[in-house]
């Protein structure tokens, strides 16, 4: 490698010296990242001599720019931007050291975070893309370090939400980063190792012949995402042998399940020949999804190399088009996921207390799964719907999923990609849709939601079905000859029905526990009573959640406003929902009312 022990380290020494000059001037929230993900790998790379910070006879971008300012000190933002460009220039060689690539990734991320001007951020990213343009899209598993991702065009959450993309990124694979999915250098201090376990499941492809199709499975690379067992349990059996019974499902359902396998462990054969080309769907663009509490799911044939820069060896029958990479740091088959995130209780930050319908549904992947089932399984067989969609574009399922995602509170993908409300109205103009066709569409899209595994709780389905009914009726109205829909309207936004969110009530099937909440404190008879000290503590977290769609039981204003009605329900025994209060608690609440409802 050009950055090996015998290479000229002067440019790297200069880069490290430049970073050290701004080390104590950088904002506090980025200082740790600079130290652990830039200074540490650069110092390790150039050795102890360079770590002194001597710049000597350098020609670094920082030094040159400093001369041009005639002694004027550059701002931290300007100096780090120059450093990021210099690091990118050094990195933009095919044999760059993983340590340099790690530092470059961190510098690119920092310099794009430092400026609050979105136009400037776009300009910087464009410049960095240009500097790295000769490098192919790739992922390298650094030695006992992060995944070094080069020129990947798309990085999304498990909901399909776009994450910030830089030409060079370092993604955490030790599981310890505080800035997941991005690396913060935690692997250097938590004893992470990238070695495979000698006790890992053997690399072997099993064959399960059926009537029309033979399913191929390699347990050695399975990430245990459960997509096959959840979506087609008549064919794939969790915790049972045989794991696969190919005659338990239709051929199209099996093909769909195999294609959905994110690890590439599943494949199929027809007439004795593996149809890997039918599984891999090579038309997919390169992309990385950060799955929920699980691995990175890579699609689009992104080359994967090991610590030495050589292609990562592939398991028997494994896909090169899609694969799953460990994110918890505990896989037995690193860098590939082996499902250990289930055993280590690996968790991402918790979701918001009040999720959008988009988030609760499972995001764009779940909605796309539903629309694909609808348009491939149900529409072609239906005499009412098949003629309507006979000439639909190949990406029509993705378009409908994007519309639903935006409507349910997700990213504005339909507006940004397809044209928003006006485009949707134009799709229905003068089609003369009938009520019978509308009703069938609504019936089958709801059935597709069941097939796709969308949430079935009453709150979500109430909101989902209400939009399907409302939206489909608007579509019929707009489709009539002579109709004049209002132009240039925004994409509608749909929310929970009457504020009834999934945590707004306690399910009758919920496991009985002692929910957390403030410790209850009953006042003595002669003690002054207050809401914060006494009344608020009477209500548990589950009581609060069950009434939140009406008012907040931990809010003094809300409880004061509804105090008489609450007292009446407490006396009747109809509140809380899991059993009446003892008289002593109800008496305290009434005493608080009589005292004037003090805060």
């Amino acid at each position: 490698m050009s950055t090996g022990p015998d290479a000229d380290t002067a440019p790297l020494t200069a880069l490290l010296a430049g970073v050290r000059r701004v080390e104590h001037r950088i904002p506090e929230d980025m200082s740790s990242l600079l130290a652990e993900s830039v200074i540490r790998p650069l110092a390790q790379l150039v050795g102890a001599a360079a770590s002194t910070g001597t710049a000597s006879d350098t020609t670094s971008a920082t030094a040159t720019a400093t001369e041009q300012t005639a002694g004027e000190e550059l701002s931290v933002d300007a100096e780090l931007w120059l450093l990021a460009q210099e690091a990118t220039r050094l990195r933009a060689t095919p044999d760059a050291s993983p340590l340099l690539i790690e530092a470059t990734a961190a510098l690119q991320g920092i310099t794009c975070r430092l400026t609050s001007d979105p136009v400037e951020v776009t300009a910087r990213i464009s410049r960095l893309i240009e500097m790295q343009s000769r490098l192919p899209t790739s992922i390298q598993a650094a030695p006992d370090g992060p995944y070094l991702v080069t020129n990947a065009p798309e990085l999304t959450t498990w909901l399909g939400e776009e994450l910030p993309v830089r030409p060079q990124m370092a993604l955490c694979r030790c599981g310890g980063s505080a800035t997941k999915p991005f690396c913060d250098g935690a692997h250097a201090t938590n004893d992470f190792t990238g070695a495979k376990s000698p006790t890992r499941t053997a690399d072997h492809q099993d064959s399960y012949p059926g009537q029309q199709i033979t399913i191929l499975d390699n347990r050695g690379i399975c990430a245990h995402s459960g997509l096959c067992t959840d979506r087609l349990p008549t064919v794939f059996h969790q915790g049972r042998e045989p794991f696969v019974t190919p005659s338990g499902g239709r051929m199209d359902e099996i093909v769909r399940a195999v294609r959905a396998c994110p690890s590439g462990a599943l494949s199929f054969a027809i007439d004795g020949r593996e149809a890997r080309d039918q599984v891999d769907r090579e038309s997919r663009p390169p992309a990385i999804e950060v799955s929920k509490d699980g691995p990175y799911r890579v699609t689009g044939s992104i080359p994967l190399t090991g610590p030495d820069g050589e292609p990562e060896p592939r398991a028997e029958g494994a896909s090169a088009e899609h694969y799953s990479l460990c994110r918890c740091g505990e896989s037995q088959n690193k860098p590939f996921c082996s499902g250990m995130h289930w055993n280590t209780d690996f968790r991402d930050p918790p979701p918001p207390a009040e999720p959008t319908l988009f988030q609760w549904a499972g995001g764009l992947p779940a909605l796309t799964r539903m629309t694909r089932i609808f348009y491939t399984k149900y529409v072609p067989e239906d005499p009412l719907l098949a003629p309507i969609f006979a000439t639909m574009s190949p990406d029509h399922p993705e378009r409908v999923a994007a519309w639903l995602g935006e409507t349910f509170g997700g990213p504005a993908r339909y507006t940004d990609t397809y044209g928003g409300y006006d485009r949707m109205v134009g799709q229905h103009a003068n089609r003369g849709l009938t009520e019978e066709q509308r009703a069938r569409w609504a019936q089958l899209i709801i059935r597709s939601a069941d097939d796709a595994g969308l949430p079935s709780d009453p709150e979500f389905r109430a909101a989902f079905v209400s939009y399907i009914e409302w939206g489909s009726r608007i579509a019929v109205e707009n489709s009539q000859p002579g109709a004049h829909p209002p132009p240039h309207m925004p994409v509608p936004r749909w929310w929970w029905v009457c504020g009834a969110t999934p945590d707004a009530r306690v399910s009758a099937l919920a496991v009985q526990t002692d929910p957390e909440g403030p410790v209850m404190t009953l006042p003595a008879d002669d003690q002054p009573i207050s809401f914060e000290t006494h009344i608020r503590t009477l209500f548990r977290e589950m009581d609060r959640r069950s009434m939140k769609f009406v008012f907040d039981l931990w809010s003094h204003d809300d409880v004061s406003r509804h105090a008489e009605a609450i007292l009446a329900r407490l006396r009747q025994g109809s509140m809380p929902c899991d059993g009446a209060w003892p008289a002593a608690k109800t008496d305290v609440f009434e005493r608080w009312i009589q005292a004037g409802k003090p805060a």
Side-chain angles (χ1 to χ4, degrees), residues 215 236 253-262 266-268 279 322:
I215 298 177
F236 301 96
E253 293 176 326
I254 293 173
V255 170
R256 189 182 299 118
V258 169
R259 283 178 169 173
C261 173
L266 291 176
S267 184
F268 63 83
V279 177
H322 59 279

Side-chain angles (χ1 to χ4, degrees), residues 360 455-465 496-497 500-502 505 507:
W360 191 257
S456 60
D457 57 274
E459 290 78 14
F460 175 77
R461 286 308 175 100
F464 177 75
V465 172
W496 301 97
V497 175
T501 58
R505 66 181 182 89
S507 171

Side-chain angles (χ1 to χ4, degrees), residues 280-299:
D280 285 350
R281 295 181 298 180
E282 295 185 4
S283 62
R284 288 193 289 189
I288 302 172
E289 175 195 320
V290 184
S291 70
K292 186 177 186 296
D293 303 327
Y296 299 105
R297 293 174 178 167
V298 182
T299 54

